[in-house]
Amino acid sequence: GEPFAEIFPNVRGFIDGRTEPLDPAAVAADSDVVFLALPHGVAISLVPQLGERVKVIDLGADFRFRNGPVYERWYKTAPAADALLEQTAYGLPELHRGEIRRARIVGNPGCYPTAALLAIAPLLQSGLARATGIVIDAKSGVSGAGRAASSRTHFSEVNENVFAYSTPGHRHTGEMEEELRLLAGEVSFTFTPHLIPMTRGILATVYLPPARSVAREEAEAAYREMYGGEPFVRVLDGENLPQTKATLGSNFCDVAVRVDPQSGMIIAFAAIDNLMKGAAGQAVQNMNIMF
């Protein structure tokens, strides 16, 4: 019963509706598409109540995995039925646009996997990097932790502080592993997320062993080839490197790549707004593809 604009004051003058109790039948009757933003495990039981006609974009984790047992291992919750998973696509458009277009359900990717996968994909797809020994180092703004109160996200804890968390074993590891295996077969990587004192944004820096001697120009060409037709991925050139402020409030992902002449390692970068390309913006992008 609360006015939506009182919960989110930034939408005053745009949205004048009130929040309503959840009634799946009523939602299904007047909706072509439903966006779900719910704790994991809830969408699994809710989606069947929406019927076969309604398309669904789930911003939670319930439909991000093709393999039900893998989802259960990472989220300790029973997976969706196989019949639902067969109607589902992983919602990273730059890798799965065709599947998204045909799907009834889209599992919107997590914010960290969005940044990391877009940084890594051109290098594995082109064969320039090895799929083993990859290191993913990522920093996120505090909004990535959600709105629920937590001692870890209090201002006095976050301000003037940077720290790693949930490592090893952050839940997004499973999601990245499944997608990277589709690109390159067996993979091995280390993922370490950090919380940084800003509201929104993710910067991922990824270190990849080269498959052979690689020049920066060759690596950049792989990015331009893969993302040349993608409206929301910007491949930076020259001395420009991705930064979170450049993607703030947008659905863009900025990517760049360098080669360390001393070690030969390839260093890939990606920056996104974790609430946009890392969540709601990508969900709208998926809706546009589905329709």
Side-chain angles (χ1 to χ4, degrees):
E2 288 186 78
F4 198 76
E6 287 187 11
I7 304 171
F8 297 100
N10 56 303
V11 301
R12 282 190 187 124
F14 294 96
I15 298 175
D16 58 6
R18 291 177 177 268
T19 60
E20 300 173 6
L22 178 60
D23 183 343
V27 170
D30 69 356
S31 302
D32 296 311
V33 58
V34 173
F35 296 88
L36 301 179
L38 301 164
H40 66 268
V42 180
I44 288 172
S45 60
L46 182 59
V47 168
Q49 300 178 58
L50 296 172
E52 289 292 321
R53 185 189 64 81
V54 176
K55 295 190 177 185
V56 174
I57 298 169
D58 180 24
L59 281 80
D62 289 2
F63 293 96
R64 291 175 184 167
F65 292 82
R66 294 167 177 81
N67 186 311
V70 174
Y71 166 82
E72 189 169 8
R73 177 163 66 90
W74 287 98
Y75 286 88
K76 313 304 180 190
T77 302
D82 289 344
L84 287 178
L85 294 179
E86 289 169 2
Q87 303 176 59
T88 301
Y90 185 69
L92 192 60
E94 292 76 16
L95 299 185
H96 299 293
R97 182 172 276 102
E99 296 169 45
I100 294 166
R101 188 172 286 121
R102 296 186 296 270
R104 186 176 78 84
I105 304 166
V106 166
N108 214 59
C111 51
Y112 281 124
T114 294
L117 292 169
L118 291 176
I120 295 169
L123 297 168
L124 294 189
Q125 186 165 283
S126 64
L128 295 179
R130 295 207 308 266
T132 57
I134 299 170
V135 176
I136 303 168
D137 181 297
K139 281 87 173 172
S140 173
V142 184
S143 59
R147 288 168 62 89
S150 163
S151 60
R152 193 177 67 185
T153 57
H154 283 178
F155 177 81
S156 56
E157 299 292 333
V158 173
N159 188 44
E160 302 292 343
N161 193 18
V162 179
F163 55 89
Y165 66 98
S166 299
T167 187
H170 190 283
R171 283 171 168 169
H172 285 175
T173 303
E175 190 179 333
M176 288 188 271
E177 182 177 46
E178 189 168 82
E179 286 299 305
L180 290 175
R181 282 180 171 168
L182 289 175
L183 284 168
E186 285 304 306
V187 297
S188 68
F189 64 93
T190 299
F191 167 52
T192 303
H194 301 76
L195 200 65
I196 199 161
M198 62 184 184
T199 301
R200 55 204 289 180
I202 284 179
L203 178 67
T205 303
V206 185
Y207 306 87
L208 303 99
R212 53 174 174 77
S213 179
V214 176
R216 172 181 163 181
E217 293 75 17
E218 187 178 12
E220 287 182 337
Y223 281 78
R224 285 193 293 271
E225 180 177 352
M226 184 165 187
Y227 297 135
E230 294 296 341
F232 291 113
V233 179
R234 302 185 295 197
V235 181
L236 306 186
D237 54 17
E239 297 309 306
N240 297 310
L241 288 174
Q243 52 183 310
T244 56
K245 189 170 283 189
T247 62
L248 182 66
S250 80
N251 198 53
F252 288 117
C253 176
D254 286 351
V255 295
V257 63
R258 298 287 188 272
V259 178
D260 183 347
Q262 183 174 0
S263 65
M265 291 286 286
I266 304 172
I267 311 171
F269 306 87
I272 62 170
D273 184 328
N274 58 295
L275 301 180
M276 297 296 292
K277 184 63 171 167
Q282 187 148 256
V284 173
Q285 184 181 1
N286 282 320
M287 178 190 70
N288 287 329
I289 294 168
M290 294 172 84
F291 286 88

